[in-house]
Amino acid sequence: MSTFKFNFLPSAEDHDLTRETLSENLHDDGCPADDTDNLACELQLPSSKIEAKGLDTAEFYFKGHHLQILSGPSVEDHLLNSSALSSLALKNAIARHSDLEAGKYEGGLKLWECAVDLCQYLEECDISMPGCSVLELGCGGGLPGILAAKMGADIVHFQDFNKDVLEVYTMPNILLNFVDTCKFSFFSGDWSSFASLALEKNLRYDVILTSETIYNTASYPKLHKVFTSVLKKTGIILLAAKSVYFGVGGGVDSFIKFVDERQQFKADIIRNLDKGVFRKILHLRWI
């Protein structure tokens, strides 16, 4: 069995969680290296062990479960010089300290606050995860999906726009928190393409978890298409987001309006958070 290694520069602990490097032995997944190709493809978690030497993590406790997410402000600098990254767009985003490269990178190298909000809700609500199939859409670091696995979900799939995000951030986080009773899969690519791939593979989920994914109104049709393609008729969607994304156009009210107009899902605000930036959690179900 090959060893799954991380090579890090030392870094101070930070609340703004960024990426780490996975240095070797990821399988050949067949995804194109061309940053302009956003076709969905599936990646598998390597059967590997972690060498945690020099690893900086942020720790969370939800519902009695201990979760670790890799962190450190110097990790991005390390990635700039790392062969682990195939994405020029991602390297450019790191170099410019940018969270968005339109059509190429969507901010997956950070753990955004709404992901934590979603985990806190899961901790307090009465959703039973044992036996469930779960999709974390736009997963980034994968914190809500990891919590779902620890809460007993049988299957957890992670989707992110950028393949490198999955390889250098999501997968290492899964291995740090590995749950051997859960089956994991990973999907990169554009939401429209993922919806098509999911239909081909007959993927259906009891629970869809997603956070910070409604900041751009132009993406609403694709997001809605994923929901209609993969959510079971008895399933639910939990969506955490800021009330308004200033300068980008999206937000909770505009998304609810979009959903209501299509008359396929009922969207309810189930939590309001007013500490810092105003944020909400939505519950969606089939009408």
Side-chain angles (χ1 to χ4, degrees):
M1 181 181 293
S2 61
T3 300
F4 192 70
K5 296 181 179 179
F6 300 88
N7 296 316
F8 296 96
L9 296 174
S11 63
E13 194 103 342
D14 189 352
H15 292 297
D16 194 20
L17 280 81
T18 52
R19 301 297 186 152
E20 12 322 83
T21 63
L22 120 125
S23 63
E24 56 184 59
N25 295 329
L26 278 174
H27 69 293
D28 179 7
D29 51 60
C31 293
D34 184 356
D35 287 331
T36 63
D37 195 333
N38 298 323
L39 293 178
C41 61
E42 182 175 3
L43 298 82
Q44 299 298 325
L45 189 70
S47 299
S48 312
K49 296 179 180 179
I50 286 181
E51 289 187 359
K53 183 178 180 181
L55 199 69
D56 291 323
T57 63
E59 300 187 353
F60 299 87
Y61 293 86
F62 299 109
K63 216 175 182 68
H65 301 294
H66 176 212
L67 281 67
Q68 298 180 76
I69 299 293
L70 297 167
S71 62
S74 65
V75 171
E76 288 185 340
D77 290 338
H78 186 83
L79 284 175
L80 284 174
N81 301 307
S82 170
S83 60
L85 283 181
S86 64
S87 170
L88 179 59
L90 185 50
K91 288 189 176 184
N92 289 339
I94 293 171
R96 292 201 300 271
H97 305 288
S98 169
D99 295 321
L100 179 65
E101 290 285 327
K104 298 179 183 295
Y105 169 64
E106 301 285 339
L109 294 183
K110 294 182 179 179
L111 179 65
W112 297 93
E113 58 193 331
C114 288
V116 179
D117 293 341
L118 193 52
C119 288
Q120 290 172 340
Y121 179 79
L122 288 174
E123 179 181 33
E124 298 166 14
C125 73
D126 59 357
I127 295 176
S128 176
M129 286 294 178
C132 283
S133 56
V134 177
L135 169 67
E136 187 180 353
L137 199 62
C139 64
L143 186 69
I146 293 169
L147 179 57
K150 285 186 173 283
M151 290 173 62
D154 282 357
I155 295 169
V156 179
H157 291 175
F158 297 87
Q159 184 278 336
D160 198 272
F161 185 85
N162 190 280
K163 170 177 171 282
D164 279 285
V165 166
L166 293 168
E167 291 183 337
V168 304
Y169 196 36
T170 317
M171 288 183 178
N173 286 333
I174 303 314
L175 291 173
L176 273 178
N177 300 275
F178 196 70
V179 183
D180 60 7
T181 57
C182 186
K183 297 178 181 178
F184 299 102
S185 287
F186 304 82
F187 297 88
S188 67
D190 174 83
W191 281 336
S192 292
S193 182
F194 171 67
S196 298
L197 181 63
L199 286 171
E200 289 176 14
K201 290 180 170 288
N202 196 31
L203 300 178
R204 296 291 185 273
Y205 302 97
D206 299 294
V207 181
I208 297 176
L209 304 173
T210 188
S211 58
E212 307 277 13
T213 49
I214 61 170
Y215 57 88
N216 185 353
T217 57
S219 69
Y220 290 179
K222 293 181 180 182
L223 182 60
H224 194 271
K225 177 62 176 177
V226 174
F227 291 167
T228 59
S229 298
V230 304
L231 184 68
K232 293 181 180 179
K233 290 302 180 182
T234 56
I236 64 168
I237 300 163
L238 296 176
L239 185 155
K242 295 181 176 66
S243 296
V244 178
Y245 289 89
F246 294 103
V248 195
V252 170
D253 288 345
S254 64
F255 185 70
I256 290 177
K257 182 176 183 292
F258 179 91
V259 171
D260 288 347
E261 288 172 349
R262 275 137 193 86
Q263 300 183 344
Q264 291 181 287
F265 297 104
K266 178 71 168 66
D268 295 305
I269 297 172
I270 54 175
R271 176 154 299 181
N272 290 281
L273 301 113
D274 57 6
K275 184 178 180 181
V277 178
F278 288 107
R279 308 181 307 281
K280 300 178 187 291
I281 297 177
L282 303 182
H283 175 283
L284 287 83
R285 59 176 173 79
W286 288 98
I287 293 175

